[in-house]
Amino acid sequence: MYVTAEPVFSAEPVVEIAHGVVGYADRPVLRDVSLSAAAGEVVAILGANGSGKSTLIRAILGLVPLRGGTVRLFGTPLKRFRQWRRVGYVPQRLGAGSGVPATVGEVVASGRLARRGVLRPPGAADRAAVTAALTAVGLAERAAEPVATLSGGQQQRTLIARALAGEPELLVLDEPTAGVDASSQTAFADALRGFVDTGGTVLLVAHELGPLQPLINRAVVVHDGKIAHDGAAPVPAGHHAAPDHDHVHPHAPEEPPGVCLT
Amino acid sequence: MNLFQYDFMIRALIGALVIGLAAPALGIYLVQRKMSLIGDGIGHVALTGVGVGLLLDRSPVITAVIVAAAGAVAIELLRERGRTSGDLALALLFYGGIAGGVMLVGLSNNRSNASLMAYLFGSLTTTSRTDLVVICVLGAVVLAAMLLLRPALFAICHDEEYARVSGLPVRALNILIAVAAAVTVTIAMRTVGLLLVSALMVVPVAAAQQVTRGFRSTMAAAMALGVLAAGLGVWLAGEIDTAVGATIVVLAIAGFLAVAVAAAAWRALRRRPFTRTAEVEPPDVILER
């Protein structure tokens, strides 16, 4: 179904972290982590809370400093990497935000900044990309509404639209479906599938894959700051394996998830 | 009698209008960052600059711009670190700024309390022709930067990590906001006063966001409210002979309350017809013939 022609993996990895070490104060979070993803791959990074999986992608994006090791994006060492237009980032949730209202369209339009720069005013291509991204996540009708009035799932879709608006080659997502309602999860998976079909590379941190499962070609499990598994997606165990189990907690989003990843 | 036949009133009015426009255009970014009080802190620091200027017999506006900008950049660098001691460091900077300023003014030749009060709370009569040129030029620069860079500044204040991953020059733009805040505080000290200028950055934004839906509309509405409060404030202060800064701020807060009450009333009014239409909706099934 989703195996439309085997993706052509080029020799040079899109993302590469070699012997990465990250720590806060005296507490090591990642110890000697190596991982790379080739163009067109969809890699899920799985792990329990506190395993270091979010830290791993934050280190790859340069949001937390590396104590050791190296990161390369599109073959360029992170320090010298300037082509941020090729990267789309979807954070876990909308930043702490503020009282100043912002519309869905305004938030998504900031996704164009990496491409158009600080000084150039938005043009027709920018507006078209914003509309296309909003349509891809099913929020085209809500562009003029304040973000704060949307549901958590719709806010999350706004964030993926912001990343898609920049027309990136690599998408990095931090727990995009955590605590998101079922309809938003499906809309999210559809948007991601559209991106993968155009040859995009995806690095995705998750607790559980849910409707994203069929998109994943590779799973990496982070445990205790190290990579414990790198290969096929782990098979769900227990009642999570039941065919009708879609693992959504509509009434208790803060409940700890039941999937056993290692 | 028409107060605006006097040149000093015209100068005070023009100065206040420029600040009424520029302060909310900058302040919206501070409010979005939850740093509404930072303008106040920079005002405290600027007083030391005024003291330095009076002591050296130089234009206090120039020295205040320099000292306030240095203070603002220091505050920004502390914020960037995000470490625990930031809050205390800010307190030290604020109180050091105002205490240093009062001491330096006391040491200068121009040591009267009246001149100190004029800088702290603004005065109608102190805006000279040179001051007005400085206010207009710097005000226009701040305004242009805040309007032209709006998408980038919005992105940074909305989600700084995302802006970083977008490759935006985050630190440079943060320092730009800090320096623009310092410049706005300093050009406002003649009319509004150092202790009240922060209100003109924040209160119009607080009022506007009661009724707006987006960032751009909030910015436009806040600037309109700022100009209105500044213009009316100068006129009223002249009419009833009150401190101009305080008058402008009281008017701005009155505007905030009026908008808040009107918005609440509007929401209540809109809710009522909604329930009424629900009552007359046709039934889904016919139970009896």
Side-chain angles (χ1 to χ4, degrees):
Chain A
M1 283 183 289
Y2 308 113
V3 198
T4 54
E6 196 60 30
V8 187
F9 296 151
S10 71
E12 190 165 69
V14 169
V15 181
E16 186 182 25
I17 178 165
H19 307 293
V21 180
V22 174
Y24 302 114
D26 290 334
R27 195 168 54 86
V29 182
L30 291 180
R31 11 180 162 211
D32 195 24
V33 170
S34 295
L35 171 72
S36 70
E41 266 195 301
V42 181
V43 181
I45 300 172
L46 308 168
N49 276 334
S51 60
K53 57 186 193 307
S54 282
T55 305
L56 173 58
I57 60 159
R58 292 170 61 76
I60 286 171
L61 294 171
L63 292 173
V64 288
L66 277 182
R67 271 214 197 146
T70 51
V71 170
R72 284 169 173 270
L73 290 174
F74 297 95
T76 310
L78 190 59
K79 268 214 168 74
R80 286 195 277 117
F81 184 73
R82 295 290 175 271
Q83 301 166 301
W84 288 105
R85 71 178 74 97
R86 302 174 80 178
V87 181
Y89 170 50
V90 182
Q92 207 164 352
R93 57 181 65 86
L94 208 57
S98 67
V100 181
T103 64
V104 173
E106 283 173 330
V107 172
V108 174
S110 26
R112 291 299 292 176
L113 281 166
R115 199 156 273 280
R116 86 168 195 257
V118 171
L119 289 171
R120 189 148 27 110
D126 295 305
R127 281 187 287 274
V130 168
T131 310
L134 281 168
T135 310
V137 299
L139 287 177
E141 315 282 289
R142 321 290 296 263
E145 287 181 36
V147 177
T149 61
L150 300 188
S151 73
Q154 288 166 337
Q155 291 190 1
Q156 206 60 42
R157 278 147 69 185
T158 306
L159 296 185
I160 194 177
R162 177 175 68 174
L164 289 175
E167 299 168 275
E169 294 163 53
L170 165 69
L171 261 190
V172 180
L173 307 100
D174 193 354
E175 302 216 26
T177 54
V180 165
D181 57 279
S183 70
S184 276
Q185 286 207 16
T186 313
F188 205 98
D190 290 344
L192 206 57
R193 184 170 301 128
F195 175 74
V196 171
D197 286 346
T198 61
T201 312
V202 177
L203 213 55
L204 163 88
V205 166
H207 255 322
E208 58 205 54
L209 294 172
L212 302 177
Q213 177 93 42
L215 291 167
I216 307 296
N217 348 101
R218 199 173 126 207
V220 172
V221 177
V222 181
H223 180 71
D224 195 22
K226 280 184 273 200
I227 290 185
H229 168 94
D230 186 345
V235 181
H239 69 282
H240 299 281
D244 59 340
H245 182 80
D246 60 355
H247 208 113
V248 174
H249 303 277
H251 300 296
E254 63 284 335
E255 194 179 288
V259 127
C260 177
L261 293 163
T262 45
Chain B
M1 186 191 79
N2 184 7
L3 275 167
F4 289 101
Q5 64 187 294
Y6 299 111
D7 276 356
F8 72 85
M9 278 299 284
I10 299 287
R11 287 198 296 268
L13 180 68
I14 295 172
L17 290 177
V18 169
I19 287 145
L21 211 54
L26 166 90
I28 189 166
Y29 300 109
L30 303 180
V31 173
Q32 199 189 18
R33 271 224 164 118
K34 301 201 163 130
M35 293 177 67
S36 305
L37 293 174
I38 205 74
D40 198 32
I42 296 172
H44 285 51
V45 176
L47 191 66
T48 293
V50 171
V52 171
L54 292 179
L55 198 61
L56 299 177
D57 259 337
R58 293 278 165 82
S59 157
V61 175
I62 308 274
T63 49
V65 167
I66 293 167
V67 172
V73 170
I75 292 169
E76 172 52 32
L77 294 177
L78 282 171
R79 192 195 67 85
E80 189 185 271
R81 291 272 166 82
R83 291 295 138 100
T84 43
S85 56
D87 173 53
L88 270 178
L90 289 185
L92 288 173
L93 208 58
F94 289 13
Y95 304 128
I98 201 150
V102 172
M103 271 194 75
L104 289 173
V105 172
L107 290 172
S108 74
N109 296 328
N110 198 347
R111 56 193 304 171
S112 73
N113 272 338
S115 74
L116 193 58
M117 289 295 277
Y119 287 109
L120 289 177
F121 298 108
S123 156
L124 279 176
T125 52
T126 48
T127 312
S128 69
R129 192 167 288 276
T130 339
D131 285 340
L132 191 62
V133 172
V134 172
I135 289 173
C136 287
V137 169
L138 292 180
V141 170
V142 167
L143 203 56
M146 294 304 115
L147 292 176
L148 292 176
L149 295 174
R150 180 172 48 81
L153 296 176
F154 164 75
I156 281 175
C157 296
H158 187 69
D159 188 343
E160 190 166 317
E161 288 198 336
Y162 182 81
R164 224 172 266 283
V165 176
S166 295
L168 295 183
V170 171
R171 173 183 278 182
L173 290 172
N174 277 333
I175 288 180
L176 173 80
I177 293 181
V179 171
V183 168
T184 310
V185 164
T186 320
I187 60 175
M189 76 182 174
R190 288 295 194 186
T191 39
V192 187
L194 289 172
L195 289 187
L196 289 170
V197 49
S198 180
L200 213 45
M201 296 180 181
V202 173
V203 177
V205 178
Q209 70 184 23
Q210 310 274 328
V211 289
T212 51
R213 293 158 74 81
F215 190 81
R216 193 163 61 161
S217 50
T218 308
M219 195 170 186
M223 286 166 66
L225 286 169
V227 166
L228 198 66
L232 283 177
V234 169
W235 169 76
L236 189 63
E239 286 291 325
I240 61 176
D241 193 22
T242 47
V244 64
T247 314
I248 290 174
V249 172
V250 166
L251 281 176
I253 289 175
F256 167 80
L257 290 175
V259 172
V261 169
W266 171 249
R267 277 192 288 267
L269 274 175
R270 267 207 327 190
R271 211 167 294 141
R272 205 170 297 154
F274 181 73
T275 51
R276 213 174 281 148
T277 53
E279 283 163 14
V280 299
E281 213 165 85
D284 287 338
V285 289
I286 299 164
L287 294 170
E288 283 175 283
R289 266 187 206 259

